[in-house]
Amino acid sequence: MKLRALALFILVSLACDEPIAAESSRHFDPLGKPPSEHTIRGQQAIRATLPFDDDRDFAEAKRGFIAAPEERQIRNADGEVVWDIGAFDFLLGEEDFDSIHPSLRRQALLNMNYGLYQLSSRIYQVRGFDLANLTLVKGDTGWIVFDVLTAKETAAAAMALVEKHLGKLPVKAVIYSHSHADHFAGVRGVVSEEDVRSGAVQILAPEGFLHHAVAENIFAGNAMNRRLFLQYGTLLPRHPMGHVDQAIGKAVAAGTAGLIRPTREIDVNMEEITFDGVRMVFHLTPGTEAPAEMNTWFPDLKAFWAAENITGTIHNIYTLRGALVRDAHEWSRQINVALREFGQEAELMFASHSWPRWGNARIQEVMRAQRDLYAYLDNQSLHLANQGVTINQIHDVYDPPASLQAQWAARSYHGSNEHNSRAVVNRYLGYWDANPTTLIPLPPRESAPLYVEMMGGSQKILERGRKLYDQGRYRLAQEILDKLVQAEPGNRDARLLLADTWEQLGYQQESPSVRNSFLAGAYELRNGIPEGRSTRTIGPDFISAMTTGMFFDFMAIRLDTERAGSDAFTINLVTPDVDERHVIELSNGVLTNIEGYQESAADLTLTLDRSDLDRIFLGQVKLAELLEQGAAKAEGNVEVIGRLMGYQVDFDPRFEVVPGAGNPRAVSPRPNPFEAG
Ligand SMILES: [Zn+2]
């Protein structure tokens, strides 16, 4: 039984491969186009409306700087580059870049923080070493580390910088603020498993952390990974006409991800703990930016750690890679709780991304801006929906109040106003716009040929598409060019013109998530899916953290129903080391599992330790070998295991998203008896 592919589906690391040296005036792609006169005019108009006079963020981003390493790359043990802040150095000058939305251009510069910073007497941060920050609070005898980056290598480099400038102190505790990998997966660069096991290091996390850390990205993992190519522009060159920023940091490091289980999950809201002389109050905020998340208040330091609930951007209510839609109302409410509980006294607010804020008035200003924008997202989207505005219209109607638009802390970099307002409607009303035509719409590939025919063929569409492109009417141009590319994926002129159109739309976006999606789509239309390392397999830490039920749930998703046909069997699984029993059953082309039961007439009863099951999943040992050695025991028909494995599908991580780029999908529409003949 091998399930090694499973590990591939957990999202963590994204690589930039060999970054192309920036030469700002020339496009990195021979087929690429610079910003058009329409795009340039729009950028200039927007530039004139933005509150550039308010430059407090820049002072805050620099405040407390201690030192930065000379080296602007971080490498793994094999010498491969896993992080390269230097690839973004083209942003450091004064140039405006008409290929970058002026507000994003500013954010992209703010995120160029690189080095070690002192925030207050006991609090330090390493910024610019990964997507997130590594934060240290000095206890009486050692460090309490808040969030440990995505990769062992970047976290270790951050700790080395700390040691070089602040001396060697032991790490006494690690706090995972929430269940996203950019906050915990670098833990092995900060502490060893032995130190955690021996009790020398405590690891604290919010309630539900382990479950969500492992579960969130597995079941839809392959699709999410593919979509990461778009939202995170993982393999787009770092360039003014390519990848410039990721809103909450520059990008995600491409190193080794791991996980050490928390020694304790905090399950009492506002619990106060004194650890190594540091008094901390943990504010649980489930259902905000992550399903398991917590803020921390340091009453003696008048310092508020906002986890990822308050950063330098309005975040995603819907994240384009995929994930359950978040709750903007609850997010706003929890910021309000923090404002009441800690915001009245705080003199320092710092977080797992972006830069800190000092002074109570400033902190309250930022907290209120973010509280109000998340609340407005929820209220106004529903206000409009209740007047008949649908999910397919709201992004063109929704507009934050001018007073919020004039505050940098309420600008939408990570989440755009467009996809966040649609997300709120989706959360409450779902994806259907209540138009019966869209209830069972034809897939784009099925309907597009009729459009092309009715529009008078490809030449007419190309001519009109080019005219619209030349007029700068890019959304209209994409409307008809997309139909042509869907109908004729091999039509090179159509592909290139649609790519040009998406590229201009990409340049015009304030949100890097939306920008990257357009630019990566354009890249794929022109050149196919980029080659290069994009994700890294996650090892044994993640496999052993999964519940046995999760393994079999995922096998059920991977099951090819057609191949399974009418096959049916029942397996009793007994795992003595963890004292668990499961029934795994195949019937009706469906695999189910349930914990805590056994079937009296099972085809097979398989007894093996869960730790051996992990080794099988990791491909380190075969079930047959364990049976031979007597480490596993099978009663009944052991053949059913082979049959079950034979029905498993390995998902293709390079499936086609943009027509004609990627491997064709292995699925086709089912026959419709009403349209037969
Ligand atoms: Zn994060």
Side-chain angles (χ1 to χ4, degrees):
M1 190 155 34
K2 75 164 168 62
L3 249 189
R4 205 174 332 180
L6 182 73
L8 287 167
F9 295 122
I10 304 169
L11 303 178
V12 165
S13 315
L14 328 164
C16 53
D17 222 39
E18 281 309 299
I20 291 175
E23 211 185 303
S24 50
S25 55
R26 230 185 36 219
H27 204 295
F28 61 86
D29 187 334
L31 294 169
K33 304 283 187 302
S36 70
E37 55 177 306
H38 307 286
T39 297
I40 293 172
R41 205 182 311 125
Q43 309 285 40
Q44 285 167 351
I46 290 166
R47 206 170 281 132
T49 67
L50 290 165
F52 284 109
D53 289 347
D54 178 2
D55 57 2
R56 290 172 294 170
D57 286 327
F58 285 95
E60 288 162 340
K62 286 196 190 101
R63 180 167 163 175
F65 176 74
I66 294 174
E70 254 165 54
E71 179 64 57
R72 291 178 76 75
Q73 293 180 328
I74 297 169
R75 290 168 191 275
N76 64 15
D78 297 330
E80 297 165 315
V81 176
V82 300
W83 178 251
D84 187 1
I85 188 88
F88 296 99
D89 282 351
F90 62 88
L91 292 161
L92 290 174
E94 300 272 297
E95 202 176 333
D96 277 337
F97 298 115
D98 289 320
S99 55
I100 308 174
H101 187 287
S103 173
L104 173 59
R105 198 271 174 262
R106 177 183 180 279
Q107 181 78 358
L109 181 56
L110 281 162
N111 279 332
M112 290 301 288
N113 288 316
Y114 181 62
L116 174 63
Y117 298 78
Q118 180 164 19
L119 279 54
S120 77
S121 58
R122 283 171 175 251
I123 303 175
Y124 300 84
Q125 272 188 332
V126 177
R127 302 206 284 271
F129 273 49
D130 204 318
L131 187 68
N133 303 328
L134 184 140
T135 302
L136 305 106
V137 178
K138 204 179 213 167
D140 291 342
T141 64
W143 293 119
I144 303 169
V145 183
F146 280 68
D147 290 355
V148 285
L149 310 183
T150 318
K152 182 176 83 175
E153 294 85 355
T154 51
M159 292 307 290
L161 183 68
V162 169
E163 189 179 322
K164 182 175 173 195
H165 295 282
L166 304 176
K168 191 164 175 60
L169 272 181
V171 173
K172 306 297 277 189
V174 169
I175 317 273
Y176 300 145
S177 71
H178 65 286
S179 51
H180 294 153
D182 52 322
H183 302 266
F184 66 80
V187 66
R188 288 174 186 276
V190 176
V191 293
S192 70
E193 182 132 33
E194 297 69 53
D195 285 344
V196 177
R197 281 223 192 100
S198 74
V201 177
Q202 297 290 314
I203 299 184
L204 305 184
E207 183 180 24
F209 166 86
L210 189 65
H211 173 80
H212 291 293
V214 176
E216 199 179 50
N217 301 314
I218 292 170
F219 300 140
N222 191 56
M224 279 195 196
N225 255 337
R226 181 67 182 88
R227 295 163 67 109
L228 266 179
F229 278 54
L230 300 175
Q231 188 200 339
Y232 278 71
T234 37
L235 298 172
L236 270 182
R238 278 62 170 135
H239 187 277
M241 292 171 221
H243 186 110
V244 299
D245 197 57
Q246 202 54 57
I248 50 171
K250 299 314 296 181
V252 183
T256 314
L259 172 63
I260 301 177
R261 290 179 188 221
T263 53
R264 182 172 164 203
E265 288 194 358
I266 302 292
D267 56 4
V268 177
N269 190 27
M270 301 295 179
E271 181 173 358
E272 184 179 309
I273 292 177
T274 300
F275 186 90
D276 201 26
V278 180
R279 204 148 64 96
M280 298 179 278
V281 177
F282 294 110
H283 170 206
L284 294 172
T285 65
T288 53
E289 190 266 334
E293 184 147 357
M294 64 183 184
N295 298 326
T296 305
W297 166 240
F298 301 84
D300 302 321
L301 307 176
K302 300 258 178 284
F304 171 54
W305 161 259
E308 195 165 332
N309 285 314
I310 301 172
T311 58
T313 170
I314 294 302
H315 213 286
N316 287 301
I317 301 305
Y318 167 60
T319 173
L320 298 179
R321 69 174 159 84
L324 298 181
V325 170
R326 295 165 188 167
D327 185 345
H329 182 267
E330 180 60 12
W331 199 329
S332 170
R333 195 183 72 80
Q334 290 290 6
I335 293 175
N336 216 355
V337 169
L339 175 68
R340 300 297 151 197
E341 292 283 337
F342 326 121
Q344 310 303 310
E345 283 182 72
E347 291 299 327
L348 166 66
M349 177 166 73
F350 59 122
S352 57
H353 293 277
S354 311
W355 51 94
R357 322 282 183 165
W358 286 267
N360 188 257
R362 173 65 164 156
I363 290 166
Q364 289 206 35
E365 174 195 337
V366 171
M367 291 181 94
R368 284 195 166 84
Q370 294 224 341
R371 176 199 65 183
D372 289 353
L373 201 103
Y374 288 114
Y376 185 80
L377 259 170
D378 208 74
N379 299 340
Q380 183 66 4
S381 301
L382 289 176
H383 181 92
L384 293 168
N386 279 317
Q387 296 183 77
V389 177
T390 73
I391 191 167
N392 292 329
Q393 299 163 327
I394 192 148
H395 49 284
D396 272 342
V397 181
Y398 174 86
D399 202 20
S403 58
L404 282 172
Q405 293 195 42
Q407 297 184 62
W408 292 115
R411 305 289 308 187
S412 295
Y413 302 104
H414 211 25
S416 71
N417 289 324
E418 288 84 358
H419 72 260
N420 274 346
S421 56
R422 296 186 80 179
V424 175
V425 177
N426 191 32
R427 182 174 177 90
Y428 287 93
L429 298 172
Y431 61 83
W432 186 41
D433 62 0
N435 173 357
T437 298
T438 63
L439 255 186
I440 43 171
L442 280 166
R445 288 289 180 85
E446 306 287 312
S447 63
L450 179 62
Y451 280 96
V452 171
E453 182 200 319
M454 298 299 294
M455 287 192 278
S458 57
Q459 266 323 309
K460 280 210 156 147
I461 297 173
L462 274 172
E463 278 162 31
R464 188 59 187 272
R466 187 163 309 281
K467 198 177 270 176
L468 289 166
Y469 176 87
D470 289 342
Q471 292 167 346
R473 302 170 78 185
Y474 302 120
R475 286 175 68 197
L476 280 175
Q478 78 170 344
E479 191 77 24
I480 60 169
L481 291 168
D482 184 62
K483 294 277 188 286
L484 181 51
V485 171
Q486 295 285 351
E488 300 177 14
N491 187 328
R492 186 171 157 84
D493 290 343
R495 297 175 71 84
L496 295 183
L497 190 51
L498 181 57
D500 292 349
T501 304
W502 281 351
E503 185 166 62
Q504 296 302 320
L505 286 168
Y507 293 157
Q508 296 176 3
Q509 304 305 313
E510 181 174 25
S511 159
S513 301
V514 183
R515 172 193 170 94
N516 289 342
S517 301
F518 277 116
L519 297 187
Y523 187 100
E524 291 193 11
L525 273 178
R526 289 168 177 153
N527 307 299
I529 306 176
E531 294 294 332
R533 276 186 303 134
S534 64
T535 52
R536 278 300 179 91
T537 302
I538 292 172
D541 291 350
F542 288 82
I543 299 291
S544 69
M546 288 172 76
T547 65
T548 307
M550 276 183 208
F551 283 131
F552 289 100
D553 284 342
F554 190 55
M555 286 185 77
I557 291 167
R558 292 178 57 210
L559 189 94
D560 184 332
T561 297
E562 227 163 88
R563 258 191 264 161
S566 59
D567 198 358
F569 50 76
T570 307
I571 302 169
N572 284 333
L573 178 69
V574 183
T575 40
D577 59 338
V578 289
D579 195 23
E580 283 177 2
R581 283 167 167 69
H582 287 80
V583 180
I584 298 145
E585 189 168 354
L586 178 72
S587 60
N588 297 305
V590 180
L591 191 72
T592 56
N593 76 83
I594 186 162
E595 194 194 334
Y597 296 90
Q598 295 282 268
E599 170 81 40
S600 53
D603 295 274
L604 170 70
T605 296
L606 185 63
T607 306
L608 85 167
D609 279 342
R610 170 56 206 261
S611 55
D612 284 331
L613 196 60
D614 291 353
R615 291 167 60 216
I616 295 172
F617 285 136
L618 286 163
Q620 294 167 350
V621 66
K622 289 197 168 71
L623 177 61
E625 293 165 20
L626 292 174
L627 289 169
E628 220 166 87
Q629 296 158 10
K633 212 171 69 188
E635 290 165 67
N637 181 8
V638 77
E639 256 178 45
V640 295
I641 298 286
R643 273 152 51 199
L644 176 59
M645 294 318 297
Y647 305 145
Q648 294 289 297
V649 168
D650 283 326
F651 294 131
D652 178 359
R654 295 173 70 84
F655 64 77
E656 178 184 298
V657 171
V658 172
N663 300 330
R665 277 165 270 177
V667 291
S668 47
R670 65 169 191 279
N672 180 346
F674 296 101
E675 287 175 9

